[in-house]
Structures are given as C-alpha cells and as structure tokens.
Amino acid sequence: MTGRLRRWWRRRTIQFRTSVVAAVVALIGLGVIAHASTGIVGWLMIESVDADLRRTATATAEQIERGAAPAELARPDIRVLDVAGAPLDSLPAPGFHRWQVDELRAGSGVLAFDPPTDLHRWRGVVVPAPDGQPLLVATGARLVGLLDAAGRTSRLLGFGSVLAAGLVGLATWLVVRRALRPVERMRMAAAGLPEGRRLPVPEAADEIRALAQELNTMLARRDADTERLRRFTGDAAHELRNPVASIRAQAEVAVVHPDPELAQETLQDIAGEAQRLSALVESLLMLARAERGVGSPGQPVDLGAAARAAADRLESPDGPPIAVEVPTAPVLVLADPAEVSTVLDNVVGNALRYTRTVVRVSVFADGMGGSGMGWVWLVVDDDGPGIPEEHRVRVFDRFHRVEPDRARSTGGAGLGLSLVADAVRRRGGTVRATMSPEGGARVEARWPRHRPLP
C-alpha cells in the first residue's frame, strides 16, 4: 500500500505536489497556532478572574484578622474553612478534594464543577484567627461561558486554519503555475524547434534561465555535431565513390574484353584500388573512434624509440632515406603506442611522398623546469614543394588536400594529418605545419612530457 501510494505521488505534477505540501504544512502550522491561541485565551480569562478573587480573599482575610466571625462573612462564593477543608462558616461542605485544599493553602487556584454543569474558579489564602488558629479563606467565581467560548474559539480557529491552508494551497498552485510558464514555453518551442534555432531565455536571472542557457548550449553542440556528421558523411561518400567507381569500371572492361593480358593488368589495377579503398575505410574507422573518444588511458611511450622504429618500418631501398636524430636518453610521453605509431606513419609517410632527397625526423625535449612541466617535440622536415601558407591550418582538417589531383594520384585521401591532430590533441598536445629549412614542409607535434614517479 505504501509503495503504491509512493508511486502515485511520484506520478503527480510538480504543481500538484508543491501545492499539496504547502497546504498540509500550512494546515499543521495554523492548527498548532489555533490550539495554542485557544489555550492562551482561556488562560487570560482565568487570570482576569484570579485577580478579582485574590482581592476578595485578601479583604476577607483582613476582616477575620480584625475579629469578624466566619459565619458573618460566609457566602456561596466566600468560604471560611480550617486547614483540612472542613467548613467553619456554618455552610455545607464545599466538596473540595484533598489535593484541591492543598493547592488553595499554597495560594494556587483550582477549578471545580459544582454543580457538574457549572465551572468554578477558587483561590485561597491562609490567615490566622484572633485566637491563633489558622483559617483558610477560599473565594470563588463562576466561569460563565468559559467552556462555550473556548469551544467556539477552537472551532472558529480550526475552520480558519482549514480555510487559510486551502488559500495557501491555491496561491501556491497559481504561483508555481506562473513560475513554470517559461518551462511550458520552452517545451512548446522545443517541440517544433528547427535546426539552428534556440530556446527562448527568460529575463529573470533564475534557475529556469540557467536551464534554458544550458539547453541552448546543448543544442549548439548538437547542431555542430550534426553539421560535422553531415560534412563527414558527404566527404566520406565522395571519397569512397572514386575507388568504387574505378573498380567497377575496370571490372566491366575486363568482362567486355576477356583478354588474359588485359585481365591481368586490370586485376592489378583493381587490387591497387581495393588497397586504397581498404586504407580509406580504416582511416574512417579510426576517425570514428577518435570522435567517440575511444582510447586507452595512456602509458609511458619513448618517442625517440618509436621514431627509430617508424623509420626502419617506412624506409625502403628504392625510396628517399630517413635521417633520424633522437636523444640517447628516453623521452617519455603519456599516450597509446598505437597512437604514436599512427602519428609517425602519417607524418613521415607524407614527407616520403613529397620529398626530393631526404626526410629528417627529430625528437627532443625541453627542460622540466621548477614546476615539473615540460614538452616532447617531434619535428619532421622534407625538401619537397612544401605547404602554402594559406593551407597550413586547414591541412589538419578532414579530407582537405593542398593539391587534390596530385594527392589522389599518390593514394592520399586527406585523412592522415587529421588523424595526427586528433591523436596529439587528445593527449593535451599541439600540432602545426610550417616551412622547413630546406624549403619544404615541416610538421611539428608536441606532447606533455611524462616524468616517471621516483
């Protein structure tokens, strides 16, 4: 039952739950105030009666001290008793209980029902008689309408508490509804929000304004991601279309002309295009993983050793030589070995593709400094045609080529340097393209230097 009630409560709207909670809290608070107010009203009325009773008791005690007989002073509301509560004024016993007599002797007031439908208030004072005997003078008054007034006051305040709690709930309902009106406008705007548009931001500097701003930031990221995906999909489709069309055209030629020599040449061309297509697909997959941020936490990698290994892997007997200059001591960066290999393969591979005589690969590190911060640099130079200044920033964009026709003829898809930039920047580094001292292209990449724990 409790779980069902909790589920029902959670399904209610914020407006409903806030209004109900406010009304219940108000009802409890006003109920406590009403109960306390009823008690205070009764106490004030009794205090007023007690003041008159004390004056009457004091005056009667003074008369007894001057020698007046108890029987002469006795009235239904003035009684002269001994200290045990027995009457000395020739009137019937007042019917006080033992504890009431003790309270009267102590000077406190007591309430008594006599007859049962009437409520009386009594105050007492002890006074010595002329013969030295202690007497108890008790004065009383009928509390006319006290219970009725207390009951009416209680009912009136209770009704007022319920009414006030209902008004508080209604006011809370209206206030919350008005406060949530910007949220409703945001919901309606979001339902038909076209790409590139943003949610309305309320003027008040409150939580709803902060929510709208955060949602607009999220929408901006969504639009940027959508545009990036659209551009990536279009570029990828364009790049994939060329090798696929080439493979199809060559296959159709081989089918139309079933010449063994031509077929062998065609198969070699198809194998080359298939290899290019495979490399392009692999690059696209690597870019997709980079977009998702998929990668290992990183481990210390000796960039000098990785550069020597890349040179041994990429250098061929009939191609340009690779001159490697690295420190003798290890220079460590916190990265993934596969990422470092991707950076070296693409940067050195690009240099080999365009250099005329030699590719120079340099690795060096600056000092750690007092703050313990340092950098490890990878610099790759060639003496080829170089990268024009207007392309040196965009060369790291996807599918960007400095010379599209020549890049396509060499098998490039414009993804290599984009992979390099993603791999380096993901580890907190930077990459840039400049001119080499030989007049060709220079690509510089740097990573934060890793210092092993002692």
Side-chain angles (χ1 to χ4, degrees):
M1 182 64 182
T2 303
R4 188 182 306 170
L5 181 62
R6 188 180 295 112
R7 288 192 298 271
W8 175 87
W9 176 257
R10 285 199 299 263
R11 288 195 297 267
R12 301 306 99 188
T13 63
I14 295 177
Q15 186 175 356
F16 176 82
R17 286 183 290 175
T18 306
S19 302
V20 170
V21 170
V24 170
V25 172
L27 181 61
I28 294 175
L30 293 174
V32 172
I33 294 174
H35 181 74
S37 299
T38 303
I40 291 174
V41 169
W43 175 77
L44 291 175
M45 294 178 63
I46 292 176
E47 277 295 310
S48 177
V49 173
D50 283 351
D52 292 336
L53 293 179
R54 281 192 291 268
R55 288 193 294 269
T56 303
T58 302
T60 304
E62 292 175 353
Q63 294 180 12
I64 291 176
E65 288 177 346
R66 288 195 296 267
E72 297 177 356
L73 303 175
R75 295 204 310 258
D77 56 346
I78 299 177
R79 302 300 306 273
V80 180
L81 315 172
D82 60 15
V83 292
L88 300 176
D89 51 9
S90 303
L91 293 178
F96 292 142
H97 297 286
R98 180 65 184 174
W99 66 269
Q100 291 176 320
V101 175
D102 294 339
E103 291 290 329
L104 291 173
R105 282 206 311 267
S108 302
V110 297
L111 293 173
F113 289 92
D114 185 27
T117 56
D118 292 336
L119 183 64
H120 286 73
R121 178 69 173 177
W122 291 91
R123 300 286 302 195
V125 60
V126 177
V127 58
D131 58 359
Q133 179 185 1
L135 302 178
L136 174 62
V137 177
T139 58
R142 182 182 177 187
L143 301 178
V144 180
L146 177 63
L147 295 178
D148 184 60
R152 290 185 179 183
T153 302
S154 178
R155 288 191 295 272
L156 181 61
L157 292 177
F159 175 76
S161 299
V162 173
L163 180 61
L167 293 176
V168 169
L170 179 61
T172 304
W173 176 281
L174 296 176
V175 170
V176 174
R177 181 178 181 181
R178 184 174 181 83
L180 293 178
R181 191 172 297 171
V183 178
E184 179 66 17
R185 287 198 298 266
M186 290 166 54
R187 185 191 67 80
M188 295 177 63
L193 192 68
E195 186 176 348
R197 297 289 298 276
R198 298 293 178 263
L199 296 173
V201 178
E203 296 181 0
D206 54 7
E207 292 80 1
I208 298 178
R209 180 185 178 90
L211 174 63
Q213 291 173 340
E214 289 298 326
L215 289 176
N216 284 337
T217 303
M218 182 187 68
L219 290 173
R221 290 197 303 267
R222 181 207 65 179
D223 291 346
D225 292 340
T226 302
E227 179 61 26
R228 190 182 303 113
L229 178 61
R230 185 184 296 114
R231 187 171 59 251
F232 179 82
T233 304
D235 292 340
H238 177 75
E239 294 298 328
L240 291 172
R241 181 180 59 185
N242 293 326
V244 170
S246 177
I247 292 173
R248 178 180 177 183
Q250 293 173 6
E252 289 176 351
V253 170
V255 170
V256 174
H257 303 283
D259 183 7
E261 295 182 1
L262 180 60
Q264 181 65 26
E265 182 181 351
T266 303
L267 287 175
Q268 291 178 355
D269 293 339
I270 290 175
E273 290 293 338
Q275 185 177 2
R276 177 187 169 197
L277 180 62
S278 176
L280 177 59
V281 171
E282 182 64 27
S283 298
L284 291 173
L285 289 175
M286 293 179 67
L287 280 175
R289 287 193 291 268
E291 278 292 323
R292 296 196 307 268
V294 178
S296 64
Q299 63 187 57
V301 178
D302 184 1
L303 191 59
R308 285 192 295 266
D312 295 340
R313 183 171 61 251
L314 298 175
E315 190 173 20
S316 62
D318 55 348
I322 302 176
V324 180
E325 183 181 353
V326 298
T328 56
V331 283
L332 302 179
V333 297
L334 194 63
D336 187 271
E339 291 177 359
V340 175
S341 298
T342 298
V343 171
L344 288 164
D345 289 348
N346 282 282
V347 176
V348 178
N350 276 351
L352 287 172
R353 188 177 297 126
Y354 298 112
T355 192
R356 296 188 181 94
T357 59
V358 66
V359 173
R360 302 187 184 279
V361 179
S362 303
V363 175
F364 59 91
D366 58 8
M368 297 296 288
S371 62
M373 184 64 183
W375 297 95
V376 177
W377 297 80
L378 168 67
V379 179
V380 178
D381 293 316
D382 65 64
D383 57 357
I387 303 174
E389 187 174 356
E390 64 271 16
H391 291 277
R392 290 176 186 172
V393 175
R394 296 188 57 202
V395 76
F396 297 102
D397 295 340
R398 296 169 184 173
F399 303 105
H400 180 77
R401 298 187 183 92
V402 177
E403 298 180 26
D405 294 336
R406 187 176 69 176
R408 189 172 291 116
S409 66
T410 57
L415 292 175
L417 292 182
S418 177
L419 288 171
V420 170
D422 285 340
V424 174
R425 290 167 183 166
R426 194 183 314 131
R427 300 299 179 179
T430 60
V431 61
R432 67 171 184 162
T434 60
M435 179 184 294
S436 70
E438 292 82 3
R442 164 176 283 188
V443 176
E444 298 177 357
R446 69 171 186 173
W447 290 263
R449 187 173 182 181
H450 175 69
R451 182 171 60 181
L453 296 176

